[in-house]
């Protein structure tokens, strides 16, 4: 898994590629937590490059949800597709966050 | 091979000693050989010098003696040429020559026929040292002794110069070896020289011969003198004198080399040669030099074995010293090698002890400040490190064993927690049910459950907690306990899920969640109400037809939002219909290349089944998943629950 992030206006864009499983989840968790610890409350996570997500990966999103809810923050998702989209749909996580078809739309939505 | 091994197995001390001694021996032998070769050469050179010097000194001795004799005849000749002398004066001149010189045995002035006295054909007054009688006189020349034909007279006359005769035994003088110097004199008138006669002086060679014959060099080396013709004039063996020549000897002994040397000597050359001694046959060194005045040649002969006798004794001494040194070196090397290997051997014994596991063993004390001490110190450090390491490992493995045993107990508890008596309800012919759960680790986060909460209603559920291991196991236990406690008459599956979700959301700091699919089956009618919290859709296998996915109502996983609601769906099951619930550990089971088992494969496996009793279905699917994984590590817990609805007799009747 690879995780790159940058600030775009007031949103923090985090791009994830590869597998998001029990092995890589802590790294992803760290990448997101670093921003929240810095006071960022508006996260956009792009999952276009993610090919696999396990329950441990999903748990990261629940953790993010809880942390952002505590600081009245928002988390927008983009680029869900294939197996990832299916997992988000079945587990009901797709209705937990606003989901956008593309990263641009997601960033736009935060403004 | 065994021999090779044996050599290899010899100790360091042996190899060190062998190496040093072989090298030393080689060096010694090389030095010895070089020394021997060069000292031989040196001795040979010295001996050649000594022999040649000796030969030259003999030559000088002879020349001196001969030259001293030549003076008087020359003077008398010159006087006779310049003056016309009367008989009285002539006689006194000749007499005085003999009387004044002890060297001269006899002297004479021999004239041509009628040259001194026209009346006398022979005129040759001769004075000589007679035995005990002083100087005696005799007039030479007679019919029987026609001196004109004798060498001493004829040769100087023909050659026109003074000549030493070949040595001869004097017949009158008692067998003395003599040689005669003859000096010619002439009458000079009107620029013309006319031969008038010779003045002679005889000398005895006995003393010279004795002197030369007595020369000895080394043990048996000797000198000899050859005449112009090669006859022996002087030789330690007196029998040879004047009786044998070098050429006769060469012919007799068949030594052509001796002949060659004899020729060179007679020709007046000097040099060295190696010859075999005629007498002993020993190889000898011969140095020779000419006596130019008389055309003789002096030879000095030294047997080779005597030349090198000194070297041989020196060599013997060197060998004795060398052998003694070798033995001494052997002792020293063995002692040194021992002193090196002894501490090593004792160290080896100690390390063997350490290898056996005795880490308390004391290392040998090494006083020398060398590599052995360094080695001993590092072995001791290794021993201490090993001790510490083993202590650590023991501690760690003890802790691990404790955790493992705890996990084993936890697993037993978790497994006992799930219903596992099949068939579960003997008195219920309306349905059959079988379930299995395999954890990826000792304890897992999957769950299944079923129970009849009244005579007609079967509640069953399958769930999957996010993540694995102990936290998941605890969350699973909480979920299952909550569910069992909540279910009661009159409740629908969605009611159960909502209440369980609410409870789970309280203080869910760990952000765990669980997917659950559950249903309530009215066994008398076959009506199944089911609900879903983010779980995979089950597979429905109607009594007639192929397997199909049973669409599930949407629903979020439990543990996320406490006020989440869930939806019920209803389906009518007929006798012979089957339902298979499972967790994603089945469809997401991976092989070594990370290929998923997949839902398609699951449907295919079910479609291909000939026996569809719940136990067989579950066991066959479990086997298919394992064969797909092909030894790859199980990444997630696997749970399968199969339900076979048979229907009640009345219902079966009604359907017919």
């Amino acid at each position: 898994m690879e995780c790159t992030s940058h600030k775009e206006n007031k949103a923090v864009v985090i791009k994830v590629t590869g597998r998001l499983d029990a092995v890589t989840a802590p790294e992803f968790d760290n990448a997101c937590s670093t921003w929240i610890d810095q006071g960022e409350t508006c996260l956009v996570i792009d999952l276009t490059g993610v090919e696999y997500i396990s329950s441990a990966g999903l748990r990261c999103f629940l953790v993010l949800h809880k942390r952002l809810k505590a600081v009245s923050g928002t988390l927008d998702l983009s680029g869900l597709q294939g197996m990832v989209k299916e997992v988000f749909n079945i587990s009901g996580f797709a209705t937990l966050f606003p989901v956008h078809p593309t990263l641009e739309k997601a960033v736009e939505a935060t403004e | 091979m065994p021999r090779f091994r044996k050599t290899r197995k010899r100790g360091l001390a042996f190899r060190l000693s062998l190496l040093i001694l072989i090298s030393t021996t080689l060096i010694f032998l090389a030095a010895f050989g070089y020394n021997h070769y060069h000292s031989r050469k040196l001795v040979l050179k010295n001996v050649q010098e000594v022999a040649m010097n000796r030969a030259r000194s003999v030559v000088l001795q002879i020349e001196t003696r001969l030259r001293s004799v030549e003076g008087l005849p020359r003077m008398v000749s010159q006087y006779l040429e310049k003056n016309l002398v009367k008989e009285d004066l002539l006689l006194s001149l000749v007499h005085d020559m003999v009387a004044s010189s002890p060297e001269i045995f006899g002297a004479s002035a021999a004239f041509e026929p009628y040259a001194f006295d026209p009346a006398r054909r022979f005129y040759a007054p001769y004075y000589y040292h007679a035995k005990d009688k002083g100087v005696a006189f005799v007039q030479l020349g007679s019919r029987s002794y026609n001196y004109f034909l004798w060498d001493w007279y004829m040769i100087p006359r023909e050659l026109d110069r003074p000549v030493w005769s070949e040595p001869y035994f004097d017949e009158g003088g008692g067998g003395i070896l003599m040689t005669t110097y003859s000096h010619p004199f002439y009458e000079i008138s009107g620029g013309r020289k006319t031969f008038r006669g010779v003045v002679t002086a005889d000398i005895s060679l006995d003393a010279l011969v004795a002197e030369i014959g007595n020369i000895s060099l080394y043990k048996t080396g000797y000198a000899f003198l050859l005449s112009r013709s090669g006859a022996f004039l002087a030789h330690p063996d007196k029998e040879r004198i004047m009786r044998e020549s070098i050429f006769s000897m060469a012919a007799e002994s068949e030594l052509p080399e001796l002949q060659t040397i004899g020729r060179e000597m007679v020709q007046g050359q000097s040099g060295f040669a190696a010859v075999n001694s005629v007498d002993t046959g020993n190889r000898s060194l011969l140095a020779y030099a000419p006596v130019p005045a008389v055309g003789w040649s002096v030879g000095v002969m030294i047997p080779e074995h005597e030349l090198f006798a000194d070297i041989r004794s020196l060599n013997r001494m060197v060998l004795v010293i060398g052998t003694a040194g070798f033995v001494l070196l052997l002792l020293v090397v063995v002692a040194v090698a021992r002193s090196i290997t002894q501490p090593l051997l004792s160290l080896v014994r100690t390390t063997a002890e350490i290898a056996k596991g005795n880490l308390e063993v004391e290392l040998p004390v090494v006083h020398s400040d060398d590599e052995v001490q360094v080695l001993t110190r590092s072995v001791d450090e290794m021993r201490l490190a090993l001790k510490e390491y083993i202590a650590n490992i023991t501690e760690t493995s003890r802790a691990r064993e404790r955790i493992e045993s705890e996990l084993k107990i936890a697993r037993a508890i978790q497994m006992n927690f799930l219903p596992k008596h099949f068939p579960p309800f003997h008195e219920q012919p309306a349905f059959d049910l079988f379930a299995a759960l395999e954890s990826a680790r000792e304890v897992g986060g999957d769950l299944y459950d079923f129970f009849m909460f009244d005579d007609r209603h079967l509640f069953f559920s399958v769930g999957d907690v996010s993540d694995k291991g102990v936290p998941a196991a605890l969350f699973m236990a909480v979920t299952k306990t909550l569910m069992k406690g909540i279910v009661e008459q009159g409740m629908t599956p969605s009611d159960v899920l909502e209440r369980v979700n609410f409870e789970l959301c309280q203080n869910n700091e760990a952000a765990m969640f669980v997917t659950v699919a559950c249903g309530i089956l009215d066994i008398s009618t076959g009506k199944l109400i089911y609900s879903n919290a983010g779980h995979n859709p089950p597979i429905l296998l109607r009594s007639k037809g192929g397997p199909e996915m049973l669409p599930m109502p949407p629903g979020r996983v439990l543990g996320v939002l406490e006020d989440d609601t869930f939806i019920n769906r209803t389906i009518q099951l007929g006798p012979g219909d089957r339902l298979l619930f499972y967790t994603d550990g089945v469809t997401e089971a991976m092989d070594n290349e990370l290929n998923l088992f997949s839902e398609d494969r699951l449907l295919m496996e079910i479609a291909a089944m000939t026996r569809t009793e719940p136990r067989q279905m579950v066991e066959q699917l479990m086997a298919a998943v394992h064969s797909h994984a092909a030894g790859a590590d199980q990444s997630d817990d696997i749970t399968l629950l199969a339900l076979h609805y048979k229907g009640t007799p009345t219902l079966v009747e009604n359907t017919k």
Side-chain angles (χ1 to χ4, degrees), chain B residues 572-624:
Chain B
Q572 181 63 49
L573 294 182
D577 289 350
R578 292 159 179 84
L579 266 176
L580 179 78
F581 287 81
Y582 58 90
T583 59
D584 59 5
V586 174
T587 49
E588 289 171 18
M590 284 178 287
D591 62 11
N592 279 318
E593 278 78 48
L594 304 181
N595 296 315
L596 302 179
F597 186 76
S598 81
E599 285 167 1
D600 293 342
R601 171 85 185 270
L602 184 61
L603 289 168
M604 264 169 55
E605 292 286 340
I606 294 170
M609 277 177 187
T610 48
R611 299 188 62 186
T612 48
E613 289 83 7
R615 177 184 284 273
Q616 273 73 28
M617 269 180 94
V618 168
E619 282 172 355
Q620 284 179 52
L621 286 173
M622 204 60 106

Side-chain angles (χ1 to χ4, degrees), chain B residues 402-440:
Chain B
R402 199 178 59 236
I403 292 169
E404 273 174 11
S405 96
E406 282 174 5
L407 278 175
K408 227 175 263 176
I409 295 167
R411 178 186 175 84
I413 292 171
Q414 195 182 29
M415 286 301 143
N416 287 332
F417 199 52
L418 300 168
K420 56 184 184 2
H421 291 288
F422 301 102
F425 311 107
H426 288 289
E427 69 278 15
Q428 284 297 345
F431 68 95
D432 189 11
L433 188 149
F434 189 83
L437 188 155
E438 278 189 11
S439 294

Side-chain angles (χ1 to χ4, degrees), chain B residues 512-534:
Chain B
M512 307 280 288
F513 60 84
V514 58
T515 71
V516 176
C518 62
I520 295 173
L521 175 69
D522 183 338
I523 59 170
S524 60
T525 61
K527 189 178 93 173
L528 172 68
I529 305 169
Y530 60 97
S531 187
N532 177 35

Side-chain angles (χ1 to χ4, degrees), chain B residues 5 39 129 202 215 222-223 266 294 346 371 409 415 476 486 498 530 538 597-598 614:
Chain B
R5 283 225 180 111
S39 46
H129 290 284
D202 304 336
I215 289 176
Y222 61 90
V266 168
V294 280
S346 94
E371 290 86 344
I409 295 167
M415 286 301 143
M476 162 265 186
I486 283 165
E498 277 161 20
Y530 60 97
F597 186 76
S598 81

Side-chain angles (χ1 to χ4, degrees), chain A residues 19 52 55 58-59 62-63 65-66 83 86 90-93 95-96, chain B residues 466-467 508 510-513 534-535 555-557 560-561 588 590 599:
Chain A
R19 295 169 59 88
Y52 173 86
S55 56
L58 273 184
R59 206 181 133 253
L62 181 53
V63 171
H65 173 78
K66 283 176 181 280
M83 178 264 181
E86 195 183 330
I90 291 177
S91 62
F93 271 59
T95 56
L96 205 55
Chain B
S466 61
D467 224 335
N508 185 12
M512 307 280 288
F513 60 84
H535 200 81
R556 211 192 318 273
V557 295
V560 179
L561 297 177
E588 289 171 18
M590 284 178 287
E599 285 167 1

